[in-house]
């Protein structure tokens, strides 16, 4: 079975769940959610066992579909985050169905699988058309997901904003793709890589297109100055969907960005310095505009939104710092590593928020006070997540940041490094503000918070992954060391 | 761990015992003492078996545990150095350790917290063994700190007494000062020697390696490193000016004073200095400073001992003074003489402390010698063994071990520096004086209090160690024992000066003893009154004043500077800027969709402008 067929089956499962939610009211929503989780786990297992040779692909997709290590990594990543998001949805079903139009979860359980299909497809995209199609599959599904709890005004507002701004960004992206096509005569990454080396290509036209293209993709990954939608949408969307946006949508944006940048910065490219500088400028602004406003946030969800922007800045910096001689991972690999560390900590933080929400506890810092007494486990998990987001040594987050810094130092991007240091320092302030609130302040009540055993197990496993990756990242690095060969090959 | 070697047994068995006891002390109760005593007995036997082999200096390091592995070149392991120096020291530590364990079984039998005591004692044995076996400076530093910790725990064993608490804290903090220097010294050597701090490597490096070049061209760096390392010894071996903690450390149980604060831990500084003697040899100035500090400590401590009335404090000052001798020897380049004195001193000083413990035990925890008296009749066994210890300490010629080892140091001093020789000889006189004073006041004459008149010898478990130690105090300098112990044999001084030195020390001894008899025989209160000595040269008061007047003033100024510069310029100003930017950026997020769309468009225009018009100009 090829990876491609897994994606098709996953999409079918997503549709089946949506239909079941509509026509089989007897089936409980949790059952459907767990079916989705089971489906993605099975898909993950199948993916591990599936043939990784491109020859296994059906003839009609082969020209548009690559199966290198990086794409397989992002496919697995998409499946993991989808399963976890479905778990979060199952965990907060009562809260969510209170606010949905018909009092049910319905599509909220099926759509993530379709998003997942899009993300998996995107990981394999070899040209801008495939990127566009799969990106739209993801984005359109997200429009629905963000606005799903329509009885909540915030969610509705977030949905509208995301729809309008997202549509504008998509337009920008397509427009940019058209210009790049006009300049280089190709939509495939391979062709673009050749085009940027071609002296006959009009450089201004090319740069014009690249600026649009990067702006469109920058919107998807929440890079400044195209990040304004993030805080509002993250805050308004149902919490599991926010987690999905924050991890899944960002990851799929970054795989595309990795491919595009790999192509644009191919050896001998005439736009190397321009593209690198664009990335660096954006990285610097992103880190600052993500971190500094976060200092004031009193809503943890909004804080995580800003944190997501700031992390995007670090990822852009990683992308701009081309392969470093110090380690066997390319910049694409560093991005993947960073995202892999970002996944458990973000999901863990959102999980805690979901559980609290179900108990009627909001996401403001005030309401988190005294959590250390009410649920020592949740408090500990949130502490680990926050420490890792801040980049405390011995957590996964530290290693991700360290790789980025090392690569950037090797290239001597001191100005951006300065901004990143400021951002990271500010991060320690606002992440630890959360830790401070849960432990040092007295809450209004000491009523314990209950968590189901299965959820405790999964959340503890996530926390364990954060700590294990922080201590012993070698296995993950080994997995990612291979794509070096793949993306360098593309460059040549 | 590769395989079970003698070294790994000696190192890890006490650790096992310590963990077992400290984790399970509620369940173990009485068994805790047995575990601890058993482990120390096994260690002593193993260490005894290890004696006698001949090896080259530094030997072949034995791997025990892998520790830090940073890169291929920077790694630190728990390795054991097995050579003459460590075999001998290991025996001293484990053997005296065993005797003290045994003695403690009697001495501490009424103590509620015995398991904690024995757990800490095992912890100390582990740490001390680690120092002895350490093959590199990092490992030594780690165990150095562990020793400090166990010393802290044991001094503060009776933590409900405020004075014990304070003493523990004082010991810990004072050592911190020295250890800070030690750490800087290690880092200096680490940097100069390209990341290797193994003793054998460092010694090689001085012959033909990076350190050799540094020594040739930047002598002062080596001097600085040597003095920094020496600071560690100043703290741990209680040399002037960091000597203040040791007398206070006598607040701990007496067996602890015997083991840690007389025989072994305080000698760790000397042991370490001898280990790095190649470093001290490389800098003449450092050697002079070390010898000078040693000499000053020797004489100052002896002067202070003259006016003390607490039996343990007298012994504590005498320990300081003897440590001063050893450090002086090391500074003079006669490390063997220092080590030799360390060995003999370990036996007779442990004997004296355990003897004083027996006295204190017999007199119901009375420590003031003026409230004793006539104990020679009440506690004959204690009296005889204590007298033997005293004889060894004051160096009664030819029959005691102390005489021979002190000879070695005085000989070295005579050879290198006449002033230090004079100091050493005068200290010998003072030692004879104050120890005879102690003997006369505490043991001779008539009992001055009820508790002294009803005193009796302690049980066999306490007297036994005293007997063993008194035999060793007499014999440990005999060639047959000395070779077994592998005390580094000092150079024989059969020069013309030899008989001069012997003559001088015998004169000093006789003068000291005679003066003490003349002054103290039959006296009920101290005929001498020298406030300067009794108040320990006011060093503690000086430090307190220093803290009060200098440090507090300085702190006031520093606080002011911190308010202005650190708080204001470094913390608050950037924070204010960050907050301004943050709130400005936040106000962009007002939630208006039109505004967002406008900003999105503006951003794109900006990106295009930068990409197409700015960057191609500035970039290549």
């Amino acid at each position: 079975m090829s990876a491609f067929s897994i994606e098709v089956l996953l999409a079918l499962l997503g549709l089946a769940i949506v239909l079941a939610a509509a026509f089989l009211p007897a089936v409980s929503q949790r059952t459907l959610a767990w079916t989705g989780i089971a489906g993605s786990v099975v898909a993950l297992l199948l993916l591990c066992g599936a043939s990784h040779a491109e020859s296994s692909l059906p003839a009609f997709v082969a020209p548009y579909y690559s199966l290198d290590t990086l794409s397989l990594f992002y496919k697995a990543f998409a499946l993991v985050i989808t399963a976890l998001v479905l778990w979060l949805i199952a965990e907060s079903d009562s809260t969510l169905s209170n606010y949905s139009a018909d009092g049910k979860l319905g599509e909220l359980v099926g759509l993530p699988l379709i998003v997942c299909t899009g993300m998996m497809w995107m990981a394999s995209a070899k040209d801008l058309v495939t990127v566009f199609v799969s990106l739209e599959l993801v984005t359109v599904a997200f429009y629905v997901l963000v606005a799903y709890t329509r009885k909540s005004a915030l969610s509705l507002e977030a949905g509208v904003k995301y729809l309008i701004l997202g549509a504008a960004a998509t337009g920008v992206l397509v427009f940019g793709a058209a210009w790049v096509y006009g300049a280089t005569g190709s939509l495939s990454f391979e062709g673009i890589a050749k085009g940027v080396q071609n002296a006959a290509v009009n450089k201004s036209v090319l740069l014009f297109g690249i600026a649009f293209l990067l702006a469109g993709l920058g919107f998807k990954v929440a890079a400044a100055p195209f990040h304004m939608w993030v805080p509002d949408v993250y805050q308004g969307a149902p919490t599991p969907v926010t987690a999905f946006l924050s991890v899944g949508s960002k990851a799929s944006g970054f795989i595309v960005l990795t491919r595009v940048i790999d192509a644009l910065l191919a050896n001998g490219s005439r736009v190397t310095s321009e593209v690198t500088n664009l990335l660096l400028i954006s990285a610097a602004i992103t880190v600052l505009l993500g971190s500094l406003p976060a200092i004031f946030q009193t809503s943890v969800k909004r804080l995580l939104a800003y944190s997501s922007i700031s992390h995007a800045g670090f990822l852009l910096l990683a992308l701009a710092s081309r392969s470093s001689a110090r380690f066997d991972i390319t910049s694409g690999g560093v991005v993947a590593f960073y995202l892999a560390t970002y996944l458990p900590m973000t999901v863990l933080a959102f999980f805690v928020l979901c559980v609290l929400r179900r108990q009627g506890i909001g996401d403001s810092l005030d309401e988190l006070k005294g959590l250390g007494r009410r649920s020592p486990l949740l408090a500990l998990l949130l502490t680990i997540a926050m420490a890792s987001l801040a980049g405390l040594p011995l957590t996964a987050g530290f290693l991700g940041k360290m790789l980025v810094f090392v690569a950037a130092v090797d290239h001597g991007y001191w100005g951006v490094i300065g901004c990143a240091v400021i951002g990271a320092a500010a991060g320690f302030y606002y992440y630890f503000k959360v830790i401070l609130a849960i432990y040092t302040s007295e809450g209004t009540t000491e009523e314990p918070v209950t968590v189901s055993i299965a959820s405790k197990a999964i959340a503890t496993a996530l926390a364990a992954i954060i700590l294990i990756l922080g201590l012993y990242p070698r296995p993950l690095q080994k997995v990612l060391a291979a794509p070096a060969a793949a993306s360098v090959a593309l460059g040549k | 761990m590769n395989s079970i070697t003698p070294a790994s047994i000696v190192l890890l068995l006490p650790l096992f015992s310590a963990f077992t006891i400290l984790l399970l002390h509620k369940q173990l109760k009485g068994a805790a003492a047995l575990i601890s005593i058993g482990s120390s007995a096994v260690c002593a036997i193993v260490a005894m078996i290890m004696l006698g082999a001949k090896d080259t200096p530094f030997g072949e390091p034995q791997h025990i545990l892998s520790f830090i592995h940073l890169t291929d070149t920077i790694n630190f392991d728990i390795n054991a150095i097995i050579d003459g120096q460590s075999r001998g020291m290991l025996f001293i530590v484990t053997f005296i350790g065993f005797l003290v364990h045994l003695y403690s079984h009697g001495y501490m039998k009424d103590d509620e917290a015995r398991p904690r005591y024995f757990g800490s004692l095992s912890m100390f044995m582990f740490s001390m063994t680690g120092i002895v076996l350490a093959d590199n400076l990092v490992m030594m530093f780690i165990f150095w700190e562990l020793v400090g910790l166990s010393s802290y725990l044991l001094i503060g064993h009776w933590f409900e007494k405020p004075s014990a608490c304070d003493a523990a804290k004082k010991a810990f903090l004072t050592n911190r000062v020295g250890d800070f220097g030690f750490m800087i010294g290690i880092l200096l050597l680490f940097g100069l020697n390209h990341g290797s701090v193994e003793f054998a490597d460092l010694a090689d490096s001085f012959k033909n390696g990076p350190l050799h070049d540094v020594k040739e061209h930047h002598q002062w760096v080596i001097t600085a490193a040597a003095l920094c390392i020496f600071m560690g010894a100043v703290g741990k071996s209680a040399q002037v000016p960091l000597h203040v903690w040791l007398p206070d450390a006598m607040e701990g149980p007496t067996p602890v004073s015997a083991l840690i604060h007389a025989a072994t831990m305080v000698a760790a500084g000397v042991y370490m200095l001898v280990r790095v003697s190649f470093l001290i040899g490389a800098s003449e100035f450092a050697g002079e400073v070390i010898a000078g500090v040693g000499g000053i400590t020797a004489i100052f401590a002896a002067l202070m001992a003259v006016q003390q009335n607490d039996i343990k404090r007298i012994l504590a000052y005498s320990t300081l003074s003897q440590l001063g001798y050893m450090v002086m020897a090391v500074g003079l380049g006669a490390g063997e003489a220092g080590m030799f004195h360390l060995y003999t001193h370990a036996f007779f000083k442990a004997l004296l402390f355990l003897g004083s413990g027996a006295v204190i035990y017999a007199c119901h925890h009375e420590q003031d010698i003026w409230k004793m008296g006539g104990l020679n009749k009440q506690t004959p066994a204690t009296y005889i063994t204590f007298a033997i210890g005293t004889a060894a300490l004051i160096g009664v010629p030819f029959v005691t071990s102390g005489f021979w080892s002190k000879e070695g140091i005085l000989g070295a001093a005579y050879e290198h520096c006449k002033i230090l020789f004079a100091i050493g000889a005068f200290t010998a006189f003072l030692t004879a004086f104050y120890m005879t004073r102690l003997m006369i006041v505490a043991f001779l004459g008539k009992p001055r209090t009820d508790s002294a008149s009803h005193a009796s010898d302690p049980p066999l478990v306490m007297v036994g160690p005293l007997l063993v130690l008194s035999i060793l105090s007499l014999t440990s300098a005999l060639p047959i024992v000395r070779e077994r112990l592998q005390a580094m044999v000092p150079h024989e001084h059969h020069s013309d000066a030899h008989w001069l030195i012997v003559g001088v020390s015998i004169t000093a001894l006789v003068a000291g003893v005679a003066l003490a008899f003349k002054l103290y025989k039959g006296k009920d209160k101290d005929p001498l009154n020298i406030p300067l000595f009794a108040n320990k040269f006011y060093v503690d008061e000086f430090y307190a004043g220093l803290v009060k007047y200098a440090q507090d003033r300085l702190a006031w100024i520093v606080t002011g500077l911190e308010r202005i510069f650190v708080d204001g310029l470094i913390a608050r100003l950037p924070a204010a800027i960050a907050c301004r930017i943050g709130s400005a950026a936040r106000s962009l997020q007002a939630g208006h969709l039109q505004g967002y769309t406008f900003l999105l468009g503006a951003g794109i225009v900006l990106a295009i402008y930068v990409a197409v018009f700015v960057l191609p100009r500035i970039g290549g």
Side-chain angles (χ1 to χ4, degrees), chain B residues 65-142:
Chain B
L65 288 171
S66 293
F67 189 47
I68 301 171
H69 279 245
L70 288 180
T71 66
D72 291 339
T73 47
I74 302 178
N75 44 47
F76 309 104
D77 283 334
I78 303 294
N79 286 345
I81 251 186
I82 307 287
D83 62 359
Q85 195 190 349
S86 63
R87 283 177 202 270
M89 187 75 181
L90 204 55
F91 172 71
I92 304 272
V93 169
T94 53
F95 185 70
I96 296 182
F98 166 64
L99 293 179
V100 165
H101 272 78
L102 212 56
Y103 181 94
S104 300
H105 193 57
Y107 193 84
M108 303 291 286
K109 74 175 190 295
D110 301 329
D111 199 289
E112 297 271 310
R114 275 170 69 195
R116 181 160 53 81
Y117 172 81
F118 278 102
S120 310
L121 214 51
S122 283
M123 180 81 180
F124 168 76
M125 292 302 288
F126 163 66
S127 327
M128 190 64 209
T129 319
I131 289 190
V132 174
L133 292 176
D135 90 317
N136 62 61
L137 278 168
V138 170
M139 174 176 167
M140 184 170 267
F141 186 74
I142 293 167

Side-chain angles (χ1 to χ4, degrees), chain A residues 182-218:
Chain A
T184 63
S186 173
L187 278 170
S188 75
F189 295 133
E190 222 177 326
I192 294 173
K194 284 203 186 96
V196 293
Q197 301 165 30
N198 187 347
V201 169
N202 183 326
K203 199 170 161 189
S204 294
V205 172
L206 183 62
L207 283 173
F208 190 70
I210 288 172
F212 271 101
L213 196 59
L214 292 183
L217 288 172

Side-chain angles (χ1 to χ4, degrees), chain B residues 333-524:
Chain B
E336 323 79 36
M339 276 313 279
F340 186 35
H341 195 55
L342 192 164
Y343 292 137
T344 58
H345 173 258
F347 292 120
F348 64 68
K349 191 49 72 61
L351 169 62
L352 286 171
F353 265 107
L354 294 184
S356 80
V359 170
I360 295 166
Y361 182 91
C363 297
H364 308 287
H365 294 275
E366 181 53 66
Q367 302 197 4
D368 188 339
I369 51 171
W370 294 101
K371 293 186 179 158
M372 298 170 184
L375 292 177
N376 55 347
K377 296 186 197 75
Q378 315 289 335
T379 61
T382 311
Y383 169 60
I384 292 167
T385 50
F386 201 90
I388 292 173
T390 305
L393 174 58
I394 64 182
V396 171
F398 310 117
V399 293
T400 62
S401 59
F403 171 73
W404 296 107
S405 55
K406 204 182 279 183
E407 260 331 275
I409 294 176
L410 287 177
Y414 185 81
E415 207 173 305
H416 293 98
C417 176
K418 296 284 185 296
I419 300 173
L420 286 177
F421 174 72
I423 289 178
F426 187 61
T427 306
F429 158 73
L430 288 172
T431 311
F433 176 74
Y434 67 71
M435 283 312 291
T436 313
R437 165 180 180 260
L438 167 61
M439 287 301 292
I440 295 170
V441 174
F443 288 94
L444 304 179
K446 292 189 192 68
R448 294 185 199 86
T449 56
D450 274 356
S451 54
S453 56
H454 293 105
S456 63
D457 265 331
L460 186 64
V461 70
M462 287 166 72
V463 175
L466 294 180
L467 292 175
V468 175
L469 284 170
S470 52
I471 294 169
L472 279 165
S473 298
L474 292 175
T475 58
S476 62
L478 298 180
I480 179 163
V481 181
R482 195 165 80 181
E483 270 162 34
R484 294 295 291 175
L485 283 183
Q486 290 174 331
M488 296 166 145
V489 185
H491 308 298
E492 296 293 331
H493 294 281
H494 284 298
S495 55
D496 309 337
H498 182 66
W499 289 108
L500 172 75
I501 297 163
V502 171
V504 167
S505 52
I506 292 176
T507 314
L509 168 72
V510 172
V513 172
L515 186 63
F517 263 99
K518 183 167 166 22
L519 278 174
Y520 289 97
K521 185 85 179 122
K523 293 277 164 44
D524 281 348

Side-chain angles (χ1 to χ4, degrees), chain A residues 81-435:
Chain A
I81 182 62
T82 308
L84 287 171
V85 164
L86 284 171
W87 163 59
L88 292 184
I89 290 175
E91 192 60 35
S92 43
D93 60 342
S94 53
T95 341
L96 294 175
S97 40
N98 275 346
Y99 286 99
S100 71
D102 53 359
K104 286 184 183 169
L105 292 181
E107 292 89 340
L108 201 52
V109 184
L111 284 177
L113 291 175
I114 299 193
V115 171
C116 181
T117 312
M119 295 196 297
M120 289 173 77
W121 181 263
M122 202 169 347
S124 284
K126 269 174 146 175
D127 60 80
L128 288 173
V129 174
T130 318
V131 164
F132 176 70
V133 172
S134 43
L135 202 56
E136 280 312 281
L137 180 59
V138 170
T139 314
V140 171
F142 263 122
Y143 295 149
V144 181
L145 288 175
V146 168
Y148 202 81
T149 47
R150 320 213 275 271
K151 282 193 204 156
S152 147
L154 274 177
S155 172
L156 201 57
E157 184 194 333
V160 172
K161 280 181 183 164
Y162 190 46
L163 173 65
I164 293 178
L165 293 171
T170 305
V172 170
L173 179 68
V174 177
F175 193 59
W179 275 81
V180 170
Y181 176 69
T184 63
S186 173
L187 278 170
S188 75
F189 295 133
E190 222 177 326
I192 294 173
K194 284 203 186 96
V196 293
Q197 301 165 30
N198 187 347
V201 169
N202 183 326
K203 199 170 161 189
S204 294
V205 172
L206 183 62
L207 283 173
F208 190 70
I210 288 172
F212 271 101
L213 196 59
L214 292 183
L217 288 172
F219 177 87
K220 303 286 177 196
V221 300
F226 316 108
H227 66 285
M228 291 82 59
W229 60 278
V230 172
D232 289 8
V233 173
Y234 276 34
Q235 194 181 16
T239 308
V241 175
T242 311
F244 206 13
L245 267 179
S246 167
V247 181
S249 173
K250 186 183 297 289
S252 52
F254 266 103
I255 174 63
V256 174
L257 209 49
T258 306
R259 303 282 193 205
V260 170
I261 298 295
D262 276 351
L264 292 178
L265 297 184
N267 285 340
S269 161
R270 295 164 59 226
V271 291
T272 307
S273 76
E274 286 86 352
V275 171
T276 310
N277 281 325
L278 271 184
L279 283 177
L280 288 175
I281 294 170
S282 177
I285 309 176
T286 309
V287 171
L288 290 180
L289 288 187
S291 306
L292 298 182
I295 294 173
F296 297 96
Q297 294 311 318
T298 50
S299 149
V300 178
K301 221 166 144 185
R302 217 171 152 84
L303 190 145
L304 285 170
Y306 281 105
S307 135
S308 164
I309 300 174
S310 154
H311 283 288
F314 280 98
L315 287 162
L316 286 174
L317 179 56
L319 215 46
S321 316
R322 304 308 293 171
S323 52
S324 162
R326 289 244 209 131
F327 30 80
D328 46 2
I329 305 178
T330 53
S331 53
V334 174
V335 169
F337 182 87
Y338 198 105
L339 284 167
T341 63
Y342 181 67
L343 183 147
M345 53 206 195
T346 312
V347 172
L348 193 55
F350 280 115
F351 160 75
V352 175
L353 291 186
C354 283
V355 172
L356 295 181
R357 189 84 196 90
R358 201 184 50 196
Q359 313 256 324
I361 305 169
D363 56 15
S364 77
L365 277 176
D366 280 344
E367 286 181 82
L368 282 181
K369 280 182 183 165
L371 183 65
R373 291 269 177 80
R374 299 181 68 176
S375 170
L377 179 72
L378 283 184
L380 178 66
L381 294 175
L382 193 57
T383 305
I384 293 175
M386 287 296 154
S388 182
L389 282 166
L392 199 70
L394 302 187
T395 62
F398 169 74
L399 284 168
K401 279 208 173 69
M402 194 191 75
L403 284 183
V404 175
F405 275 117
V406 169
V409 167
D410 278 356
H411 289 266
Y413 298 147
W414 296 109
V416 191
I417 291 170
C419 294
V421 168
I422 293 173
F428 271 94
Y429 176 78
Y430 56 79
Y431 293 122
F432 276 71
K433 215 163 69 170
V434 178
I435 297 177

